[in-house]
Amino acid sequence: MNKHKHKRLRICISIGAVLLVFSLVGGIWSFLRQEMIKIRQREAENILYHYSDKIMLQLQGTLNEAEALAQTALVMDNASTDWFERAASNLLEREEVRFALLFEGDTMVSGCPQAEFSNLTGRELKDFSYSFTLAKVVKDVVIEGPSTMEFDSSGQEVFLFLQPIVKDNVYLGEVAVALERGYVLEQLGLENLSEQGYDYELWRVEPQRGAKEIIASTQAGIDFSQAQKIVFYLPNEWNLSIQPRFGWLSPVQEMSLIIVCGLLAFLLLLLFVLLQRTHLLRCALKQTELKDKQTGLYNRKGFTINLEQWLSSGKDSVILFYFSIEGYSQTAQLVGPKAEADFLGSIKERLCEYIHSPFLAGRVSDGDFLVAVRERMEERQQESFAKGLALELLFKYRLDGQKNFLMPRFQYKRCRENRTGAEAEINELIHDYYLRVSKESPVRMLTEKCQQLIEGKSDVVFDEYTNSEMLELSKTFNRYRKQVEQLAYSDPVFNVGNRLKFFRDANMLISYDKKRRFSLFCLDICSFSQYNELFSADVGDAILHEVRGRLSRQFGSYLYRINGDVFLGTSLSDESMESIAERLLEMFKIPVTVKSISFSLQVRIAACQYPSHGDNPSGLIDHIQSALRFAKELDQNIVIYNDTLDEIVRTETHILHRLKDAIERRTLEIWYQPIRLLQSGCYSSVEALVRLPDGKGGYFSAAQVISLAERNGIVEQLGDYVLSSACSFMKQHGEELGLLRMGINLSVQQLLVGNSAAHIQRLIHDAGVKAEQVTLEITESILIQSIDQAAESLESLRCAGVHIALDDFGVGYSSLNYLSNLPVDIIKIDRSLTRQILTNFKQHTLLKSIVDMASINGLMVVAEGVETEEEQQVIAASGVQYIQGYYYARPMQEEELIRFLR
């Protein structure tokens, strides 16, 4: 492990120790703090129990003047209310008593003082607050307040004591006595809580609305969410909350606790520092015996010991390298000790910069070095790594004013799994080196490398030699190799890398450091072909040159042109893909000027990242092209490959696997949709449709299945399967079901394959049906784009008797002028046109025009997607010969179709 990694490890250990100490001390601080708070909270609980008992005793007993009046009312059973007025008068002589009311049953019969409250006589309980009714319901004392009674003209806040008159558990009436708010609160003694250093809040739940009514509080706006509280019932819910005025821990207590814990943390950290220094001192003394003083690398003993530890752990594969600088001792004598010391002193730093995996390095003699790397490498990667490391160990020196250098020769091996021991592995490697060197000839080696170039290997490097003539020859070969590579890996027109160079560069990046992330960006110019078509190929190339120039500023030598107007760039920056993509998009908002003409380019950008979205160049380029395809389908400027796209790709892979399997096993389903001939009223033909089961009781979208087949090069297999299956069905059941034609969808890709017409005719013939019984349906927009290439095949099929139908007419070009020039017999009007036939007069007129133009050109017309009777009537009246749609029949399996048509 190199110096920087040791330093990082020590820093990590130190940080971990600091975090551990602070976590431990923090835990102690938190524990002590919680315990101190619990003590204060238990004290508060005891106070709450005392005060709750006191409040209930005061309100239900001492302050409840209504209870004595209620007891007297029981004794005075059915007597006049004079007794109440006398008793209440004596009670009202006290300053704290505001009024008293007497109810017999639900009716108020007396109120004192009479001058103010006699007008309430005769009012029902329901005319008063809900608490009056609550006392009747619970048959126990109810206390309301502090509040202002709406019938009290004085507007004073009072506590209202409502004592029901109950005999044998039967409600006979009730007595209400109002005491002034200040008097009641004074009797409750809540101010004593404040004197003890507590904030308090006494509140009750309003019985009818459930709202919180504060009765008394130290002051408004205090947060009691952390307070201790107790609940009691009178009979509605009352709450008393208290908390220390300065918190459960006072500032002095909090500061004392922090100081104690801080001192504890300081002592623990001091102890850790002392232990660490002692350990480092011991390690330094031990390592001195195992190091080479001039280079700072291990000596042979130290290298062997550390390699033995690696091999014993058995964690990862270990690659062992031996480097020998021939003629080192003689050269060192010539250049002097200072130049030699400078060279040896720089070796360790250069190794650390070059090697990113765990490694050991040792100097075993003057010009001989050993390096062990813990990393899984293939043979080619080991060779490449050894060559790169040899360049780092290159001994450059100046002698007699001339620059010279000594190139190390090397040998490498993978340490065996049976672990023969470090000393045995080293001895075997050095032995193999000298055995090979003794057999090597520079001329033979040059010859072998030239042969490797002839065989097409791209990683051939001609070694440097100490012999001057061989050295010049080797340099010449290297220059020639680079020129050949330039031709093989670059785009000669635009001077950027091509697809092959991307694969080579990406493989080098991955083999160099498998964990290092890099991002790919794919840029496509929307509708680029229009510039070539409308102007010239020179204008198109000039535009691409400008695009290449702008992209080079972002990607430098990691820019590739992988297809006509599609560029690929690799970024090693840690900047987010979204940020880079936005900058690229902003870059192309500036128009491109060619020959005084400005072009505003519209571009689409897709991005993905290694290794998140692929662990090899092929997977990465597949994923970024998928992202670019989705950008086109979704009409978005930027698409970053993500989990959603990954899921779509996995789904498409799953569909593709099921499709290939279904074709191979002959289990792919073919459904049929009947087509009605209006003149006879019979179903004279059907259209064959692909149905791929999804394994969950449903089916994948036919459009998605066909698109995947086209993109993955199996559409010809799929087309052959459908054609053979549909023709076989026509052979077996066509005559008995009255079917004249079988409609089969044909991908234009099938027509572009060499000898496609003959192949299709052979499939039809092998199925045993006549060519006149087959109608091949081709999508309009696809056919128009490929008409020049497909016309010959279509004409050949027509001459053989096969009918050609133009499917989805109305979606693509929808021009009537070219109908007479297309090699078709039938046009099928798309649902997008027929569904507007009832609501759009222009569509209705267009339909009639299509039918008339088709009639002039001798074409038959099929209306697709007819679903309602109203549509059927209008379309039938337009003169079309055939109608296909849900109005008549949906697509169905073979057995269902046979039953339907019989």
Side-chain angles (χ1 to χ4, degrees):
M1 188 177 295
N2 57 41
K3 180 179 179 181
H4 294 294
K5 291 189 176 180
H6 269 301
K7 185 177 181 180
R8 287 198 294 269
L9 179 60
R10 289 198 301 271
I11 292 173
C12 290
I13 293 174
S14 300
I15 292 173
V18 171
L19 292 176
L20 179 62
V21 168
F22 278 106
S23 298
L24 178 63
V25 173
I28 295 173
W29 173 82
S30 178
F31 173 77
L32 293 176
R33 188 176 185 277
Q34 290 299 322
E35 289 301 312
M36 294 173 69
I37 290 174
K38 287 178 182 178
I39 293 172
R40 295 292 306 275
Q41 288 176 338
R42 284 194 291 270
E43 293 175 357
E45 286 178 3
N46 293 332
I47 294 172
L48 281 173
Y49 281 119
H50 167 72
Y51 268 88
S52 64
D53 290 342
K54 178 180 178 181
I55 291 170
M56 291 183 68
L57 179 63
Q58 288 281 4
L59 294 176
Q60 290 181 327
T62 308
L63 296 174
N64 186 11
E65 301 292 349
E67 183 178 14
L69 295 175
Q71 294 296 327
T72 305
L74 282 174
V75 177
M76 296 294 184
D77 188 20
N78 294 328
S80 65
T81 60
D82 294 344
W83 69 271
F84 178 77
E85 295 168 357
R86 290 192 299 275
S89 297
N90 294 331
L91 189 61
L92 288 167
E93 291 178 357
R94 293 163 51 184
E95 292 183 1
E96 68 272 11
V97 180
R98 172 63 187 135
F99 60 80
L101 308 177
L102 174 64
F103 291 80
E104 290 183 0
D106 290 348
T107 306
M108 176 180 161
V109 297
S110 180
C112 296
Q114 290 186 350
E116 295 183 41
F117 300 100
S118 60
N119 62 322
L120 301 177
T121 303
R123 291 176 65 173
E124 300 294 321
L125 277 178
K126 64 182 181 179
D127 298 328
F128 295 86
S129 67
Y130 176 70
S131 297
F132 286 79
T133 304
L134 181 62
K136 174 183 176 180
V137 173
V138 300
K139 298 177 184 176
D140 199 359
V141 62
V142 173
I143 302 164
E144 179 183 355
S147 58
T148 303
M149 300 294 112
E150 62 180 6
F151 53 79
D152 185 0
S153 60
S154 68
Q156 294 185 16
E157 280 193 308
V158 296
F159 279 88
L160 188 63
F161 294 81
L162 299 167
Q163 182 69 47
I165 304 169
V166 181
K167 185 175 183 182
D168 298 330
N169 204 34
V170 176
Y171 174 80
L172 302 177
E174 62 184 74
V175 174
V177 175
L179 299 182
E180 288 184 352
R181 172 184 179 277
Y183 173 76
V184 173
L185 293 178
E186 182 181 351
Q187 297 303 311
L188 296 181
L190 294 175
E191 287 302 320
N192 292 334
L193 289 171
S194 183
E195 294 174 0
Q196 297 178 52
Y198 287 96
D199 289 322
Y200 63 86
E201 183 181 61
L202 178 65
W203 57 279
R204 71 187 185 97
V205 178
E206 200 278 324
Q208 190 170 13
R209 294 180 292 107
K212 176 180 178 180
E213 293 185 348
I214 297 177
I215 298 169
S217 177
T218 309
Q219 66 181 50
I222 296 177
D223 180 12
F224 285 92
S225 59
Q226 302 299 320
Q228 292 291 98
K229 76 171 185 176
I230 193 168
V231 180
F232 49 94
Y233 298 89
L234 292 170
N236 49 335
E237 182 182 326
W238 286 54
N239 292 266
L240 177 60
S241 301
I242 66 171
Q243 62 186 20
R245 185 171 295 114
F246 299 107
W248 293 106
L249 281 184
S250 68
V252 174
Q253 293 173 318
E254 193 86 46
M255 184 56 66
S256 300
L257 188 59
I258 291 174
I259 291 173
V260 170
C261 291
L263 289 173
L264 178 60
F266 174 76
L267 293 175
L268 290 174
L269 290 174
L270 182 61
L271 177 62
F272 168 75
V273 171
L274 293 175
L275 290 174
Q276 187 183 45
R277 287 188 175 180
T278 302
H279 172 73
L280 290 176
L281 183 59
R282 290 179 179 175
C283 291
L285 291 174
K286 184 177 179 181
Q287 289 297 321
T288 302
E289 301 175 356
L290 306 176
K291 291 291 184 71
D292 175 70
K293 294 181 180 179
Q294 290 180 290
T295 61
L297 304 178
Y298 289 112
N299 54 28
R300 179 155 184 164
K301 177 182 177 181
F303 185 87
T304 305
I305 291 173
N306 283 273
L307 180 60
E308 188 68 46
Q309 292 175 354
W310 272 21
L311 297 179
S312 300
S313 67
K315 290 183 179 179
D316 294 303
S317 176
V318 177
I319 313 298
L320 189 60
F321 299 86
Y322 175 67
F323 297 90
S324 178
I325 305 177
E326 295 182 0
Y328 175 83
S329 298
Q330 180 182 0
T331 303
Q333 292 293 328
L334 291 173
V335 299
K338 184 179 184 307
E340 181 188 16
D342 292 341
F343 166 68
L344 294 176
S346 67
I347 289 178
K348 185 174 182 180
E349 183 178 355
R350 280 185 279 163
L351 292 179
C352 291
E353 291 178 354
Y354 182 78
I355 306 174
H356 298 282
S357 301
F359 76 95
L360 300 171
R363 184 189 184 200
V364 295
S365 63
D366 284 350
D368 299 332
F369 301 88
L370 284 168
V371 176
V373 180
R374 182 178 284 170
E375 183 179 337
R376 294 191 179 277
M377 296 185 191
E378 299 176 355
E379 178 66 25
R380 182 179 58 81
Q381 293 172 323
Q382 295 175 31
E383 176 80 12
S384 176
F385 184 86
K387 290 176 181 177
L389 203 53
L391 291 174
E392 296 298 325
L393 294 173
L394 187 69
F395 185 11
K396 299 178 183 179
Y397 61 94
R398 184 178 290 274
L399 192 63
D400 298 330
Q402 297 291 324
K403 290 183 179 179
N404 298 280
F405 57 86
L406 292 180
M407 171 68 75
R409 303 182 72 177
F410 57 83
Q411 185 79 17
Y412 57 86
K413 71 184 295 287
R414 185 188 303 275
C415 294
R416 289 190 290 271
E417 299 295 331
N418 57 7
R419 306 305 184 196
T420 57
E423 188 66 37
E425 295 284 356
I426 293 171
N427 290 335
E428 181 180 337
L429 177 64
I430 296 175
H431 176 268
D432 290 345
Y433 168 77
Y434 284 105
L435 183 64
R436 177 177 62 84
V437 168
S438 64
K439 297 178 179 179
E440 284 181 348
S441 162
V443 174
R444 183 173 60 83
M445 291 178 63
L446 283 175
T447 304
E448 289 179 355
K449 290 185 181 294
C450 289
Q451 185 62 37
Q452 291 173 5
L453 280 179
I454 294 171
E455 293 172 356
K457 292 186 178 180
S458 60
D459 56 349
V460 177
V461 176
F462 292 90
D463 299 323
E464 305 290 351
Y465 298 93
T466 53
N467 181 282
S468 59
E469 292 182 352
M470 293 300 301
L471 177 61
E472 286 302 318
L473 183 59
S474 178
K475 289 180 179 179
T476 302
F477 275 127
N478 271 323
R479 287 194 296 270
Y480 178 72
R481 175 187 58 79
K482 290 179 181 179
Q483 184 178 359
V484 172
E485 285 185 354
Q486 180 70 18
L487 293 174
Y489 291 108
S490 68
D491 185 315
V493 177
F494 298 99
N495 194 29
V496 292
N498 56 16
R499 191 184 189 94
L500 286 176
K501 187 173 188 299
F502 161 72
F503 278 97
R504 190 186 73 164
D505 290 353
N507 277 319
M508 290 181 63
L509 286 173
I510 293 171
S511 63
Y512 182 71
D513 186 354
K514 288 184 172 60
K515 297 180 181 179
R516 181 176 182 178
R517 295 183 301 173
F518 60 85
S519 302
L520 294 186
F521 296 87
C522 194
L523 182 139
D524 173 60
I525 305 172
C526 302
S527 304
F528 177 75
S529 60
Q530 67 180 349
Y531 302 113
N532 288 329
E533 294 170 359
L534 296 177
F535 296 92
S536 67
D538 290 340
V539 170
D541 286 349
I543 292 173
L544 292 179
H545 273 291
E546 176 62 23
V547 171
R548 188 265 305 162
R550 294 184 186 185
L551 292 176
S552 294
R553 292 196 290 272
Q554 173 65 41
F555 300 112
S557 62
Y558 287 112
L559 178 65
Y560 317 91
R561 180 173 176 247
I562 61 173
N563 196 6
D565 61 324
V566 179
F567 289 86
L568 184 70
T570 301
S571 174
L572 306 181
S573 170
D574 293 331
E575 187 178 356
S576 70
M577 290 187 287
E578 291 82 356
S579 177
I580 296 176
E582 288 289 349
R583 188 163 62 252
L584 291 175
L585 195 63
E586 190 70 26
M587 184 186 299
F588 285 95
K589 288 184 179 179
I590 302 172
V592 172
T593 302
V594 178
K595 296 182 179 179
S596 302
I597 305 173
S598 292
F599 300 95
S600 295
L601 301 183
Q602 297 295 321
V603 298
R604 289 190 178 90
I605 299 169
C608 69
Q609 190 174 74
Y610 169 87
S612 306
H613 304 140
D615 57 2
N616 59 72
S618 180
L620 289 168
I621 205 165
D622 284 345
H623 286 167
I624 202 168
Q625 287 179 332
S626 296
L628 188 61
R629 173 165 52 84
F630 281 107
K632 294 178 180 178
E633 292 175 358
L634 302 175
D635 194 23
Q636 293 184 358
N637 292 328
I638 297 174
V639 170
I640 306 296
Y641 194 85
N642 54 27
D643 291 342
T644 301
L645 287 181
D646 197 45
E647 180 62 30
I648 292 173
V649 171
R650 283 200 297 269
T651 301
E652 290 185 346
T653 303
H654 172 67
I655 295 173
L656 194 60
H657 172 75
R658 293 187 68 90
L659 177 60
K660 291 179 180 178
D661 185 68
I663 293 174
E664 182 179 347
R665 296 174 180 270
R666 309 293 298 177
T667 58
L668 184 63
E669 297 182 19
I670 308 298
W671 289 26
Y672 303 91
Q673 186 175 26
I675 303 174
R676 192 177 185 90
L677 176 60
L678 295 180
Q679 184 178 0
S680 65
C682 300
Y683 296 101
S684 62
S685 58
V686 295
E687 180 182 356
L689 302 167
V690 174
R691 290 293 184 268
L692 177 64
D694 61 6
K696 302 177 183 178
Y699 295 88
F700 294 111
S701 163
Q704 186 179 23
V705 171
I706 294 170
S707 174
L708 282 173
E710 290 177 337
R711 294 203 310 269
N712 290 275
I714 64 169
V715 70
E716 188 177 1
Q717 295 174 254
L718 175 61
D720 289 354
Y721 178 94
V722 176
L723 184 62
S724 299
S725 300
C727 289
S728 297
F729 176 81
M730 188 68 177
K731 172 65 177 176
Q732 296 175 23
H733 304 287
E735 185 176 351
E736 66 170 303
L737 299 177
L739 297 177
L740 301 179
R741 292 190 187 89
M742 169 66 69
I744 303 165
N745 288 285
L746 188 69
S747 170
V748 171
Q749 286 187 22
Q750 293 173 259
L751 292 175
L752 302 182
V753 177
N755 202 26
S756 59
H759 176 69
I760 293 171
Q761 291 177 51
R762 186 168 56 254
L763 291 177
I764 295 172
H765 179 267
D766 293 344
V769 297
K770 298 177 182 178
E772 294 80 5
Q773 293 177 282
V774 176
T775 299
L776 298 179
E777 301 184 7
I778 304 175
T779 303
E780 176 204 12
S781 58
I782 303 296
L783 174 60
I784 299 306
Q785 295 173 27
S786 309
I787 187 63
D788 293 336
Q789 300 93 323
E792 183 178 349
S793 296
L794 290 177
E795 195 58 47
S796 177
L797 289 168
R798 291 182 74 200
C799 291
V802 177
H803 294 273
I804 307 297
L806 191 62
D807 198 12
D808 296 341
F809 187 82
V811 175
Y813 288 76
S814 300
S815 172
L816 303 180
N817 296 327
Y818 64 78
L819 284 180
S820 60
N821 299 319
L822 292 178
V824 298
D825 308 289
I826 302 167
I827 59 173
K828 300 187 73 174
I829 300 174
D830 188 69
R831 168 65 182 160
S832 62
L833 190 152
T834 59
R835 68 184 173 190
Q836 302 179 53
I837 206 72
L838 299 177
T839 58
N840 191 324
F841 176 75
K842 291 182 180 180
Q843 296 294 81
H844 189 198
T845 304
L846 177 60
L847 176 62
K848 287 186 176 182
S849 300
I850 292 172
V851 173
D852 292 341
M853 183 64 75
S855 176
I856 293 171
N857 290 283
L859 304 178
M860 291 179 287
V861 180
V862 180
E864 294 184 299
V866 179
E867 298 183 356
T868 66
E869 183 175 358
E870 293 81 0
E871 289 177 351
Q872 188 274 343
Q873 291 175 353
V874 174
I875 292 171
S878 68
V880 302
Q881 290 93 351
Y882 297 89
I883 290 182
Q884 178 181 354
Y886 290 175
Y887 174 70
Y888 289 116
R890 292 175 176 267
M892 57 191 76
Q893 294 176 312
E894 290 184 6
E895 298 80 2
E896 187 179 354
L897 177 67
I898 293 171
R899 290 194 299 270
F900 180 80
L901 294 179
R902 278 179 176 170

